[in-house]
Amino acid sequence: MGNQQVLLQLQRVRCVDETGGKYVERVGNDEMRLAALGVDAAGNTFLLSPFSVGANFDDGEITHFPPKTLLTLEVPQGGTFPKECRALLMLAEIDGGGFNDIAEKAFAKLKEETAKAKADMEAQGANVLGLTWKAVWAVVLPVVIGYLKEKLSAGVSDDVFYPRDIAVEIGSEDFRWGDGTKLSPEETVEFRGHDGVYKVTYYWEVRNTESGRTGLPDVGRAAG
């Protein structure tokens, strides 16, 4: 059947409540950027650098995407299923700077801690194909989150929200969801902080890399 790829697809970003409180909201708009870190089922690490998801958000406004691929993660064939891919979403309201630096440092920490956890497991007798990346992530994630909290508590000019951890579990070498397609149902994560609330909606898409085929056309889901 061959390897599979899992694409994290951004569908829309909704401003529920603009940052800054009711008085600040009257004189400005939110310029929002999103970044993502990922670990795939082969133990590879990925960074999507911060990019704009909207420059003038007011309460209730939504930015729709066509969709946009945030991460492309690998699921190798063979070994034991299910296999898991993980991502850490980071959102910020841009002000005086700092978000790009925070994202890059978080990715460096992710790479470092993933390599360390992998080496520790291999030292205990696990081989690469036998590594349980879900277990690796369980070790790595608290360290990366703690590192981010430390950096943010030191002060960043941009209003960086607390990151959100998301995951997808691939159950077979030709995985499909319950509707028979290779597109997951939509999922939404909420970011709260800095007197604001945002919701980010995404879905997962699985592709068999030998044929590149998917359950629906590559244009993805219609925005809703």
Side-chain angles (χ1 to χ4, degrees):
M1 182 58 64
N3 296 338
Q4 298 172 93
Q5 289 182 332
V6 179
L7 284 66
L8 174 57
Q9 305 283 30
L10 177 63
Q11 189 74 355
R12 57 187 175 273
V13 175
R14 179 188 176 197
C15 174
V16 178
D17 184 13
E18 191 180 340
T19 64
K22 60 181 180 180
Y23 297 111
V24 175
E25 290 177 22
R26 294 176 183 174
V27 297
N29 305 94
D30 282 349
E31 178 186 351
M32 305 301 296
R33 293 183 186 175
L34 183 70
L37 309 179
V39 177
D40 68 17
N44 303 307
T45 53
F46 301 86
L47 167 66
L48 172 71
S49 296
F51 72 98
S52 176
V53 293
N56 294 287
F57 275 114
D58 284 314
D59 290 0
E61 291 189 348
I62 302 173
T63 299
H64 295 279
F65 295 86
K68 177 178 174 61
T69 300
L70 301 182
L71 297 169
T72 300
L73 308 173
E74 300 292 330
V75 181
Q77 65 178 326
T80 302
F81 283 86
K83 297 182 179 182
E84 187 176 71
C85 294
R86 286 267 178 175
L88 197 65
L89 298 180
M90 301 173 64
L91 184 72
E93 198 279 318
I94 303 306
D95 191 0
F99 185 38
N100 282 51
D101 184 59
I102 285 288
E104 290 172 3
K105 288 180 176 177
F107 177 59
K109 190 66 174 177
L110 174 66
K111 287 183 67 175
E112 174 189 347
E113 294 299 326
T114 300
K116 186 186 302 183
K118 176 182 175 182
D120 289 345
M121 293 180 73
E122 288 178 333
Q124 296 172 19
N127 59 53
V128 174
L129 289 178
L131 287 176
T132 303
W133 294 107
K134 184 174 183 178
V136 171
W137 185 256
V139 173
V140 168
L141 178 62
V143 177
V144 176
I145 291 291
Y147 177 79
L148 280 169
K149 289 177 67 175
E150 180 182 339
K151 290 294 181 183
L152 294 177
S153 65
V156 181
S157 295
D158 291 336
D159 291 334
V160 183
F161 289 76
Y162 191 80
R164 297 302 305 269
D165 170 44
I166 61 176
V168 62
E169 197 169 79
I170 304 302
S172 68
E173 291 191 351
D174 187 24
F175 180 73
R176 297 171 186 272
W177 273 270
D179 60 359
T181 74
K182 290 182 174 289
L183 302 180
S184 78
E186 288 185 355
E187 301 178 52
T188 298
V189 290
E190 184 176 87
F191 293 85
R192 284 183 173 269
H194 311 289
D195 292 315
V197 180
Y198 278 81
K199 291 187 176 183
V200 174
T201 299
Y202 65 93
Y203 64 90
W204 303 94
E205 176 180 356
V206 177
R207 297 183 179 180
N208 295 90
T209 56
E210 287 184 344
S211 62
R213 62 185 176 85
T214 62
L216 290 175
D218 287 346
V219 294
R221 296 188 184 277

